[in-house]
C-alpha cells in the first residue's frame, strides 16, 4: 500500500538538513531503485524554488510500504530523523487516484 510520510522540520534545522542531505537522498534513492517511490521533496519556507536561508518547513514522501509500521520503521532510520532535522512525522495511508 502507498503511504504519505509528512514531516515537519525542527526550528533552526537548515544547517543539519544541509549536512546530511546527501545521505538522505541516497536513502530515498533506494525507494526509487525498488520502484516504490511515487514522489518526494521538501516544502520551501517561502514561495520560491530555492528558498535560500529561509529554508524548509518539512518534506513529503509518498511511497509503497508493506504497512504503516514498515513506513514508520523506514523513516525513523532516515538521517533527517536521526540527525534532528525532522521534529515530527505523520504517516497516512494514501490511495492514488490520478495519474
Amino acid at each position: 500500500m502507498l503511504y504519505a510520510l509528512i514531516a515537519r522540520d525542527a526550528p533552526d534545522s537548515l544547517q543539519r538538513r544541509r549536512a546530511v542531505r546527501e545521505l538522505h537522498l541516497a536513502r530515498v534513492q533506494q525507494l526509487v531503485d525498488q520502484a516504490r517511490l511515487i514522489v518526494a521533496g521538501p516544502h520551501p519556507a517561502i514561495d520560491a524554488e530555492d528558498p535560500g536561508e529561509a529554508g524548509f518547513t518539512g518534506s513529503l514522501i509518498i511511497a509503497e510500504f508493506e504497512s504503516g509500521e514498515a513506513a514508520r520503521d523506514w523513516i525513523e532510520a532516515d538521517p533527517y530523523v536521526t540527525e534532528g532535522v525532522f521534529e515530527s512525522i505523520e504517516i497516512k495511508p494514501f490511495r492514488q487516484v490520478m495519474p
Side-chain angles (χ1 to χ4, degrees):
M1 177 160 202
L2 295 177
Y3 289 87
L5 288 64
I6 307 155
R8 298 203 182 275
D9 282 12
D12 301 316
S13 61
L14 182 57
Q15 294 309 317
R16 289 189 302 269
R17 177 184 271 271
R18 287 176 174 162
V20 297
R21 182 174 186 268
E22 293 306 317
L23 295 172
H24 166 73
L25 292 178
R27 186 164 172 73
V28 175
Q29 183 63 46
Q30 293 173 355
L31 294 174
V32 173
D33 295 345
Q34 296 165 359
R36 295 170 47 200
L37 183 70
I38 302 302
V39 68
H43 301 284
I46 60 173
D47 190 5
E49 183 73 22
D50 179 357
E53 291 305 310
F56 301 90
T57 61
S59 296
L60 170 67
I61 296 171
I62 299 177
E64 184 178 345
F65 292 95
E66 291 179 13
S67 65
E69 184 177 317
R72 170 84 46 201
D73 290 345
W74 185 88
I75 195 66
E76 286 183 355
D78 188 87
Y80 278 4
V81 172
T82 62
E83 299 304 314
V85 175
F86 292 157
E87 130 179 292
S88 67
I89 302 153
E90 183 176 7
I91 297 174
K92 294 179 154 193
F94 180 81
R95 188 171 67 95
Q96 184 176 4
V97 176
M98 292 184 191

